[in-house]
Amino acid sequence: MDIFLQVMVTGLTLGALYALAATGLALVWGTLGMFNMAHGIFMTVGAYGAFVAVDMFGFPRPFAFVFGLAAGGIIGAATYLFVARFMIGRRNFETNIIVATAGIAILAQDIILKIFGAYPFSQPVVIDGKFSIGDVIVPTQRVLILVGAALLLLGVNILLTRTKLGRAIRATAMSIDAARLMGVRTSRTYLQVIVIAGVLAGAAGIMVSSLSTLSPQMGGNPMLMAFVVCVVAGLGHIGGTGLAAIGLGILEATIQYFLGVQYGFPVMLLLVILFLIWRPNGLFGKQLVVRL
Amino acid sequence: MSLDTTPLLQIEQAKAGYAGSVVLHGINLDINASEVVALIGPNGHGKTTLLRLLSGLIPLISGKITFAGKPIEATDTSERVRAGLVHVPQGDQLFPEMSVEENLLMGAYLCDDPAETHNRLEEVYTLFPKLKDRRTQYCNGLSGGERRMVGIGRGLMANGRLIMLDEPSLGLAPLIIEQIYQALNELTKSGRTFLVVEENPVRISEIAQKISLVQGGKVHWSGTREALQSSPELSQVYFGGH
Amino acid sequence: MILSKALSRDLLISVGFVAALALVPIVFPERYFVGQIITFLIWSMVASQWNLLMGHAGVFSLAQMAFFAIGAYTTAMASRHLDLSIWMSLPLAVLVAMVSALIVGAACLRLHGAYVALLTFAIAEVIHVLIITDTYCYTREGGGCLQFFGGATGFSRISDFGFRPFLKGDWILGNYYVVLLAFAFVTLVTMFVMHGRLGLAFRAIRDNLGYASSRGISRFYTQMTVFAISAALTGLAGWAYAGHFRFAGPSLFDFSTLILVLSMVIVGGLGSIWGPYIGAATILIGLEWLKEFGDAKNIGLGLILVLVVLFAPNGLAALFARLFKHIRPGKNNTPKSRT
């Protein structure tokens, strides 16, 4: 029972982080058809944003958290306004945007490295303390992550399904021309989507760094995981993304527990690859393998 | 009174097309307020392209388009919808993973008054009672006729001054076409302005007062339906097969 | 075998290019310069294979650097664990890279577009993470611990091409001609593949899948074949890398290494014939120039990538081709007007 609880606490925390990271990626993919290699750097920027807010400006922690989210949103907006905007609708967009966002990623990562150095600062936006359920000790931060991620994702869900803005986003994702004919300014919708993705990535970045440390390349592995979650769910399937994230988080925690911490991530990736050989469309994806 | 004398939509020498190929070679067309105009003509001669040009989905190469007294060449689709130029595209292009009601609400995207939106929704449900029963259903599970009703209803939700319908009978069974045209008949009597693209000249002449033949990217002939029917040459071409 | 006009033209250019390269160290024997040309040869081999796969066959694979690393690692591991000479590990490196490609391809090539990019990227990362997190000591050399796959530091000072004993100070010339030979082989094979039946098939698939399928071309098998060929040749480049630098390590899997080679392909021009070579040369010269501004390599690469995709999405090769076209019509018209 304790083992189960231990694995669940770790797994759910991981799953919540993956869900945060992957939802933004799926949203951008589903709406703009853009595979965003800079998503990891959005997370890094969010994490450093919160760090700067506390360490340099002396903001209280909740404000610093919001500041980090804003930082993520801003780099998202910049990516769209300075780069992606000019490429949408051009030939080879799908491949060129991967290259362009990869360029942004390495550029921004190097700038962060130049400013902050490679020193592994610890994330100040964190709540210390722990409590125990039975024999299992649960750090408060993990519960905070779980609750924070759940609230943010719930917020995004409400935004997408219950508001006019969300309806316009979904409409644009389903049919750009039809959305335009309804009067939707799709270029603005694109900007909104990528800002939302940036904010979610910023939150994920702050939370990831609160469990380990800050570093210029900290976004790399969570982004990779977000890719994997998206593929397992079926690209662009937002609801499925959350479920796949939780499932994979628990799977990784289980592997960590039984095989050792360092094998959790790679062994899970291996399992995912095997899964995809068997089901190339992912869990919830539709027939997308070969479109004639 | 002076407003009534200028046409609602004026197209002068409009040229447009797709990457590398010009489809419209100088379209001239006027539509007056409260008029129902039909565009007929063979496939691939630019009827749909003209509607896409008018709604701003494709750019104008040269010429002039004036809507409600203002040039609209430089405006984007969203501004044109706001000005009251509404386009119901061919094949409906519904939002498949949205409910019927959400699709209809998307039609009133630019309306910021919830009460007004609600009124329009009720109007559409009165016109197509079937949609009210299906309101929570996803559009990818609807029948062809129901989809068409959602498409037309969604266009009506914008409360436009000119509604452009691209082949409202396309791909439907005769019985369903009957239903759709019954609704269109009702709508056209209400004094709204319509521009309808139709392959079926017999059907369209029931509701349209003015008919324009589009051929080779130009308006080949324009006139009342009586004039069309009384011209032996034209009616041979356009009604001959029916 | 009858050579098509395009093939014989490109083969001729290739042979001329290789011949010119063979003269370089005789004219400019400075070791640093020769070393830089070797680097160019190695990266342009990788870039040409990536271009073949991505630009011509339309497979957006990000695992290409992994196959390069597999070639290098196989060579290093054969040298360290099996005491195999570098010449013996050549076929091994090519074979292991190719077999890995067949396995990865089986997993990825039924997908398309961005899915392929995603999954190949994930697979390359799995290998990377598995290698650097491995802490189990396979051998202990002089008190140090060496993991089977080299762990986080990788293999260094492995056996090289073996020119030092008899060429003495000029050992780099030996390395140069070995790498040039590999380069010539890779380039010629690439030309044959591109202009042959296979090239025709995969371009048909890239441009019009429906038509290609209706003509009986199987997308999966065609792309699988290109995937395996390009991986094998990339593995060969990896072997050359390991032999010249006497090193194979996890830095080969680094995102910045991937970006470095990817930018060569993109800057040169995806889907062109000579783009990868132009791109590799441009980027290496650019990096050399960037050294004056301190450690700005990644910032420079990132900027170059973004700017090229925005302003010259077809790359330098297309730019040159356009310039060339502007010059040529005059030449072509003169004989016509005479007749």
Side-chain angles (χ1 to χ4, degrees):
Chain A
M1 190 59 206
D2 283 351
I3 296 172
F4 176 75
L5 206 63
Q6 185 102 50
V7 167
M8 282 312 269
V9 170
T10 316
L12 284 175
T13 321
L14 278 175
L17 287 174
Y18 293 160
L20 267 187
T23 301
L25 203 65
L27 209 53
V28 169
W29 167 261
T31 318
L32 286 85
M34 164 176 165
F35 180 62
N36 184 16
M37 294 286 278
H39 199 70
I41 216 70
F42 291 6
M43 296 187 218
T44 313
V45 167
Y48 275 90
F51 168 74
V52 165
V54 173
D55 234 52
M56 294 170 82
F57 304 150
F59 285 7
R61 282 179 293 191
F63 286 116
F65 182 73
V66 174
F67 191 83
L69 302 195
I74 288 168
I75 180 147
T79 301
Y80 177 74
L81 291 175
F82 295 126
V83 180
R85 181 161 66 108
F86 303 105
M87 298 173 63
I88 288 170
R90 277 217 232 142
R91 216 168 60 98
N92 294 336
F93 172 72
E94 202 185 47
T95 47
N96 280 347
I97 195 73
I98 297 185
V99 176
T101 49
I104 293 171
I106 198 152
L107 177 72
Q109 185 178 321
D110 213 34
I111 291 174
I112 291 171
L113 179 69
K114 295 278 180 308
I115 297 174
F116 297 96
Y119 184 80
F121 295 107
S122 57
Q123 176 60 265
V125 181
V126 57
I127 302 238
D128 291 324
K130 49 190 73 156
F131 58 91
S132 50
I133 307 171
D135 288 340
V136 181
I137 294 160
V138 183
T140 316
Q141 178 65 16
R142 288 196 175 257
V143 178
L144 201 68
I145 287 176
L146 210 58
V147 174
L151 284 178
L152 275 166
L153 291 175
L154 189 71
V156 170
N157 185 43
I158 289 172
L159 179 83
L160 284 178
T161 54
R162 301 262 187 276
T163 69
K164 210 166 166 173
L165 171 71
R167 245 194 333 259
I169 291 174
R170 281 156 59 219
T172 308
M174 288 178 220
S175 166
I176 295 167
D177 272 0
R180 285 198 180 131
L181 291 178
M182 303 299 112
V184 177
R185 280 221 165 84
T186 44
S187 56
R188 206 182 331 170
T189 308
Y190 289 156
L191 178 63
Q192 287 156 348
V193 165
I194 208 161
V195 167
I196 293 170
V199 166
L200 291 177
I206 298 171
M207 293 173 181
V208 167
S209 62
S210 75
L211 292 180
S212 55
T213 56
L214 290 160
S215 76
Q217 68 277 5
M218 58 163 278
N221 275 353
M223 174 174 81
L224 187 68
M225 199 51 223
F227 290 167
V228 170
V229 169
C230 285
V231 175
V232 169
L235 262 180
H237 194 291
I238 307 210
T241 304
L243 286 176
I246 303 279
L248 288 176
I250 293 172
L251 177 67
E252 186 179 340
T254 314
I255 299 167
Q256 275 184 4
Y257 186 86
F258 290 105
L259 293 182
V261 173
Q262 76 269 36
Y263 292 110
F265 188 60
V267 170
M268 187 197 45
L269 280 182
L270 220 59
L271 289 178
V272 164
I273 290 160
L274 292 176
F275 166 78
L276 285 168
I277 297 174
W278 170 58
R279 266 198 80 134
N281 298 324
L283 279 174
F284 308 98
K286 294 186 202 77
Q287 195 61 39
L288 268 171
V289 182
V290 180
R291 217 186 304 169
L292 280 182
Chain B
M1 281 312 286
S2 64
L3 260 176
D4 289 342
T5 54
T6 54
L8 180 61
L9 178 74
Q10 257 181 311
I11 310 167
E12 288 170 60
Q13 286 300 325
K15 269 193 194 175
Y18 303 93
S21 73
V22 177
V23 180
L24 304 177
H25 303 275
I27 292 271
N28 289 303
L29 186 70
D30 284 358
I31 296 174
N32 296 315
S34 305
E35 217 171 29
V36 177
V37 177
L39 291 180
I40 62 174
N43 259 333
H45 281 243
K47 300 184 307 275
T48 295
T49 306
L50 177 58
L51 295 203
R52 290 174 64 84
L53 168 70
L54 290 175
S55 58
L57 290 179
I58 57 168
L60 183 71
I61 296 172
S62 67
K64 269 172 76 177
I65 307 173
T66 316
F67 182 70
K70 286 190 187 118
I72 57 166
E73 299 93 357
T75 61
D76 69 5
T77 306
S78 174
E79 284 169 78
R80 296 185 198 191
V81 178
R82 199 180 283 279
L85 189 58
V86 177
H87 178 184
V88 177
Q90 197 175 66
D92 307 317
Q93 295 196 22
L94 303 182
F95 303 114
E97 280 159 50
M98 277 193 194
S99 68
V100 168
E101 189 151 303
E102 281 182 304
N103 262 277
L104 294 177
L105 288 174
M106 274 309 296
Y109 176 74
L110 290 176
C111 174
D112 288 324
D113 178 4
E116 169 66 20
T117 305
H118 185 78
N119 285 344
R120 293 184 199 168
L121 195 61
E122 285 308 316
E123 271 175 50
V124 171
Y125 283 148
T126 319
L127 186 69
F128 300 118
K130 224 177 187 174
L131 295 187
K132 193 159 192 173
D133 306 333
R134 297 256 188 273
R135 60 198 291 176
T136 57
Q137 218 165 16
Y138 268 17
C139 283
N140 50 12
L142 298 180
S143 73
E146 289 161 346
R147 296 173 60 86
R148 190 59 40 83
M149 289 174 196
V150 177
I152 294 171
R154 195 177 63 175
L156 294 173
M157 289 292 290
N159 204 23
R161 299 178 66 181
L162 169 61
I163 300 170
M164 305 187 284
L165 300 175
D166 199 346
E167 297 210 43
S169 68
L170 183 76
L172 298 182
L175 203 70
I176 311 291
I177 296 181
E178 192 66 42
Q179 286 175 15
I180 296 286
Y181 265 85
Q182 226 165 0
L184 288 182
N185 237 324
E186 246 171 81
L187 283 171
T188 51
K189 279 185 195 130
S190 67
R192 294 182 213 231
T193 318
F194 280 92
L195 175 61
V196 187
V197 166
E198 188 51 276
E199 291 278 301
N200 182 338
V202 181
R203 280 250 80 111
I204 195 63
S205 52
E206 290 168 16
I207 59 168
Q209 292 116 25
K210 202 168 95 183
I211 290 170
S212 291
L213 309 179
V214 177
Q215 209 167 5
K218 284 189 168 183
V219 175
H220 190 61
W221 183 90
S222 248
T224 60
R225 66 173 165 229
E226 290 79 15
L228 178 71
Q229 278 154 350
S230 62
S231 155
E233 180 201 356
L234 288 169
S235 74
Q236 174 61 34
V237 174
Y238 290 99
F239 296 95
H242 296 275
Chain C
M1 186 177 170
I2 304 157
L3 301 182
S4 74
K5 209 175 144 198
L7 175 58
S8 23
R9 181 199 63 204
D10 289 342
L11 282 178
L12 211 66
I13 299 177
S14 306
V15 170
F17 187 40
V18 169
L21 281 168
L23 294 177
V24 166
I26 298 167
V27 186
F28 306 100
E30 201 197 332
R31 187 184 291 180
Y32 179 75
F33 185 72
V34 174
Q36 286 301 95
I37 304 286
I38 294 179
T39 311
F40 160 77
L41 292 174
I42 291 170
W43 289 135
S44 56
M45 276 189 262
V46 185
S48 77
Q49 293 319 296
W50 210 342
N51 177 53
L52 177 71
L53 187 64
M54 199 154 90
H56 291 268
V59 180
F60 200 162
S61 164
L62 295 176
Q64 212 56 18
M65 288 313 293
F67 299 131
F68 177 76
I70 286 171
Y73 263 90
T74 308
T75 311
M77 288 165 68
S79 155
R80 191 51 54 86
H81 299 320
L82 303 175
D83 259 332
L84 227 54
S85 95
I86 188 136
W87 305 105
M88 299 290 283
S89 58
L90 167 61
L92 204 63
V94 173
L95 194 72
V96 173
M98 195 163 87
V99 171
S100 317
L102 289 173
I103 297 168
V104 174
C108 302
L109 291 179
R110 276 180 300 162
L111 304 165
H112 70 150
Y115 277 84
V116 177
L118 246 137
L119 201 56
T120 47
F121 187 67
I123 290 173
E125 268 307 298
V126 176
I127 303 173
H128 185 196
V129 173
L130 277 175
I131 288 177
I132 56 175
T133 50
D134 182 23
T135 48
Y136 176 77
C137 295
Y138 181 73
T139 56
R140 292 183 185 277
E141 285 179 8
C145 161
L146 184 70
Q147 291 86 2
F148 186 66
F149 289 103
T153 46
F155 302 92
S156 45
R157 304 191 66 77
I158 57 165
S159 64
D160 63 0
F161 294 119
F163 291 111
R164 279 169 215 263
F166 57 94
L167 284 180
K168 303 283 189 289
D170 285 334
W171 59 269
I172 198 159
L173 289 181
N175 284 12
Y176 183 86
Y177 287 105
V178 170
V179 177
L180 184 62
L181 216 61
F183 173 85
F185 177 74
V186 168
T187 307
L188 294 183
V189 172
T190 309
M191 294 306 152
F192 275 107
V193 169
M194 250 189 300
H195 293 291
R197 281 172 56 91
L198 186 61
L200 219 57
F202 60 63
R203 268 194 300 276
I205 288 167
R206 179 196 66 187
D207 296 336
N208 192 338
L209 180 56
Y211 176 74
S213 305
S214 73
R215 298 298 299 267
I217 302 172
S218 156
R219 172 178 172 271
F220 183 71
Y221 288 106
T222 310
Q223 293 193 340
M224 195 71 156
T225 313
V226 195
F227 201 64
I229 291 175
S230 74
L233 296 179
T234 306
L236 176 63
W239 168 83
Y241 177 93
H244 175 63
F245 290 104
R246 306 175 66 195
F247 170 78
S251 64
L252 297 180
F253 286 99
D254 272 357
F255 189 58
S256 57
T257 315
L258 179 109
I259 294 291
L260 173 75
V261 183
L262 185 62
S263 54
M264 291 173 182
V265 180
I266 301 295
V267 167
L270 202 57
S272 62
I273 292 171
W274 304 107
Y277 308 97
I278 300 171
T282 312
I283 293 286
L284 288 175
I285 294 168
L287 287 183
E288 203 57 26
W289 177 71
L290 273 175
K291 276 184 185 163
E292 286 177 28
F293 301 90
D295 184 23
K297 180 183 153 200
N298 285 342
I299 293 182
L301 280 180
L303 263 182
I304 288 172
L305 269 189
V306 173
L307 292 178
V308 165
V309 171
L310 277 180
F311 298 108
N314 298 323
L316 291 179
L319 221 62
F320 290 157
R322 224 170 33 209
L323 284 175
F324 194 52
K325 243 185 213 163
H326 278 303
I327 304 164
R328 232 182 16 187
K331 278 187 197 161
N332 284 352
N333 285 348
T334 1
K336 255 184 202 167
S337 57
R338 274 182 200 149
T339 51

